[in-house]
Amino acid sequence: MTSAQASEEIDISRRRSQRLVGAAVHQHKALTRAGLSERAFTFAFSGLVYPQIWEDPVVDMEAMELADGQHVVAIASGGCNVLSYLTAAAVRITAVDLNTAHIALNRLKHASLRHLDSYEAFHRFFADAAAADNVRLFDEQLAPHLDAETRRYWTARDWRGRRRITAFARGFYRTGLLGRFIATGHGLARALGGNPARIVTARSLEEQRQIFEREIRPLFGKRLVRRLLDRPATLFGLGIPPAQYDALREGRAMHEVIEERLERLACGFDLADNYFAWQAFNRAYGRGAGAPLPPYLRREAFETLRQRIGEVRVLNVSLTDYLAGLPAQSVDRFVLLDAQDWMTDGDLASLWGEITRTAKPEARVAFRTAGTTTILPGRVPEMILGKWHYEAGRSAELGARDRSAIYGGFHLYIKAA
């Protein structure tokens, strides 16, 4: 294939992402202020967004109570949680996503579990994610086993002429829309006299608090920071579309909400057990034997994942469309991440109609919201939602333990027996 042909294939892939994401996000006519904002988000979201996703898989697994043989349907995103679920039980997982870049990342991870010859190689690729040897491993051990579309994605060149796979030699977690947003935030903070990276030098929760108050809290008193955060387009870098921006605000100034959530991330959990904080403040996972990592990247999980990875499928399709093709009562667990914050009432009704049809008795649905409360009552018809029980107490308990700290609420629904 010539470079021109490869470029055309990548353009087709990106356009497919834009079409699928646009169908989920666009709620207003194009030539309106809201419509233009939605389309700007669609363009931003059609490339790689999340090199690591920001939902705590330990919370998910406690909520789902996974058991061998169950069928789990989940939003794929960057794939960290899907693989982490496999450490809990021998489940069958179907992971769906609108974004073709996320599909390519998931498939690269799955091929790495199948074909890299050691945990050390897997760890170097996805935990360190900044070693020159990763490119050689891709060319020699992974690329021959990838489907053509995934291989084209990782061998395509960026605007600097570098193959995408070389991000794993330079620092993969500093790439993608989220990685660039975090980098911009660090740069702005330093220009204004703060240094968020100092958080990772703390040796106790007390020191974490002291550094936050010294290096980060004063930034939110800056007029520039407030004005930037109060603009919806600024938060496109967090993967937050216009509709979710309003849900996150809940009538408050956005800079107040971000300050509150960032404080929780920096001070609410011990750094020794919070890899989300390391990604936010260090822009990479910590180094060394005791560094906190997602469950799927821990040494003790490697052989289990290699044995179970054959039970995972990754599909570039909307969740509602995928469920519509399934038999009734065929799914045990659903993980929706924060996707419902994007949806209209009609979209929610369609999704929950399919969830209810395909859910087995006592099936569980877990999801997060930017705001603090569940968004379903009054928006999903009672004839559908009435078949589910909202676990309010358990939801609040698990949400308080979510180390990612960026969501307002975690929610668990259980279908009636």
Side-chain angles (χ1 to χ4, degrees):
M1 177 180 293
T2 67
S3 60
Q5 290 171 323
S7 177
E8 182 179 358
E9 290 285 349
I10 296 300
D11 287 343
I12 291 172
S13 177
R14 189 179 183 99
R15 286 197 297 272
R16 184 164 69 248
S17 277
Q18 290 176 345
R19 184 173 66 253
L20 290 170
V21 173
V25 171
H26 298 171
Q27 301 178 18
H28 300 85
K29 293 181 179 180
L31 296 180
T32 64
R33 184 173 181 178
L36 289 171
S37 181
E38 289 167 351
R39 282 151 183 82
F41 173 82
T42 297
F43 179 81
F45 200 86
S46 59
L48 179 69
V49 180
Y50 301 116
Q52 174 204 275
I53 76 173
W54 282 74
E55 287 86 5
D56 192 333
V58 174
V59 168
D60 288 352
M61 291 186 286
E62 289 190 33
M64 288 189 290
E65 298 184 2
L66 297 172
D68 291 355
Q70 290 177 338
H71 183 199
V72 179
V73 175
I75 305 292
S77 190
C80 317
N81 285 19
V82 168
L83 293 180
S84 291
Y85 302 157
L86 286 183
T87 68
V91 292
R92 178 166 59 94
I93 302 177
T94 305
V96 304
D97 206 277
L98 304 177
N99 186 308
T100 54
H102 291 160
I103 297 295
L105 177 56
N106 276 260
R107 289 177 177 167
L108 178 65
K109 289 180 176 179
H110 298 181
S112 298
L113 283 166
R114 290 184 174 100
H115 302 293
L116 292 181
D117 56 12
S118 67
Y119 169 73
E120 287 71 23
F122 185 67
H123 182 279
R124 185 165 60 249
F125 215 110
F126 293 104
D128 293 343
D133 196 49
N134 288 337
V135 178
R136 179 190 64 81
L137 288 177
F138 173 84
D139 289 332
E140 295 179 3
Q141 298 185 30
L142 300 180
H145 301 286
L146 295 173
D147 63 275
E149 186 172 1
T150 301
R151 187 167 56 250
R152 281 195 297 270
Y153 177 86
W154 290 110
T155 56
R157 297 185 181 275
D158 63 18
W159 65 276
R160 295 183 180 178
R162 304 173 300 190
R163 292 193 303 162
R164 282 184 175 139
I165 194 61
T166 62
F168 286 93
R170 303 190 308 272
F172 178 65
Y173 295 108
R174 300 186 175 208
T175 66
L177 193 62
L178 179 60
R180 293 191 295 272
F181 178 87
I182 292 173
T184 301
H186 276 251
L188 178 60
R190 289 193 297 272
L192 294 175
N195 187 356
R198 290 191 177 128
I199 286 283
V200 300
T201 67
R203 303 191 185 282
S204 67
L205 279 168
E206 182 181 0
E207 284 190 35
Q208 289 171 222
R209 166 64 65 182
Q210 291 170 354
I211 295 171
F212 176 81
E213 297 295 342
R214 184 178 70 244
E215 302 290 341
I216 299 175
R217 175 90 73 193
L219 298 173
F220 289 91
K222 307 287 186 180
R223 184 178 180 185
L224 174 61
V225 171
R226 291 174 178 241
R227 292 186 66 181
L228 283 173
L229 292 178
D230 289 342
R231 294 173 60 87
T234 300
L235 297 194
F236 287 0
L238 289 175
I240 295 175
Q244 192 175 30
Y245 181 94
D246 291 333
L248 178 59
R249 263 192 334 121
E250 292 189 316
R252 301 165 60 192
M254 181 58 79
H255 68 267
E256 295 177 1
V257 177
I258 297 299
E259 179 180 1
E260 181 182 277
R261 306 266 170 107
L262 195 59
E263 178 181 3
R264 184 163 180 257
L265 179 63
C267 309
F269 305 90
D270 194 320
L271 277 171
D273 187 45
N274 192 4
Y275 62 86
F276 296 101
W278 278 89
Q279 283 289 349
F281 301 116
N282 186 56
R283 301 172 60 206
Y285 295 125
R287 303 272 180 162
L293 292 169
Y296 85 98
L297 283 176
R298 297 172 187 164
R299 179 181 291 275
E300 62 268 22
F302 184 64
E303 288 303 327
T304 298
L305 291 177
R306 285 166 72 92
Q307 295 167 15
R308 296 176 178 174
I309 191 60
E311 294 300 314
V312 181
R313 288 195 307 157
V314 185
L315 304 175
N316 187 203
V317 65
S318 79
L319 179 58
T320 304
D321 287 348
Y322 170 70
L323 293 176
L326 292 183
Q329 298 191 13
S330 59
V331 182
D332 299 279
R333 301 290 187 265
F334 303 79
V335 185
L336 311 183
L337 304 184
D338 62 338
Q340 294 175 112
D341 278 356
W342 301 20
M343 296 182 179
T344 65
D345 291 1
D347 292 334
L348 282 173
S350 297
L351 173 61
W352 275 86
E354 291 300 337
I355 288 175
T356 302
R357 184 185 66 82
T358 56
K360 294 180 181 179
E362 300 184 332
R364 295 181 174 224
V365 180
F367 63 92
R368 288 167 176 79
T369 52
T372 54
T373 59
T374 175
I375 60 174
L376 302 183
R379 300 184 64 191
V380 173
E382 181 57 28
M383 63 179 295
I384 297 174
L385 196 58
K387 297 178 181 178
W388 295 83
H389 175 67
Y390 178 49
E391 298 285 326
R394 185 66 170 150
S395 295
E397 175 192 346
L398 291 170
R401 288 167 34 208
D402 191 324
R403 294 166 296 173
S404 76
I406 64 172
Y407 292 100
F410 176 90
H411 310 284
L412 173 64
Y413 281 78
I414 301 179
K415 191 179 181 184

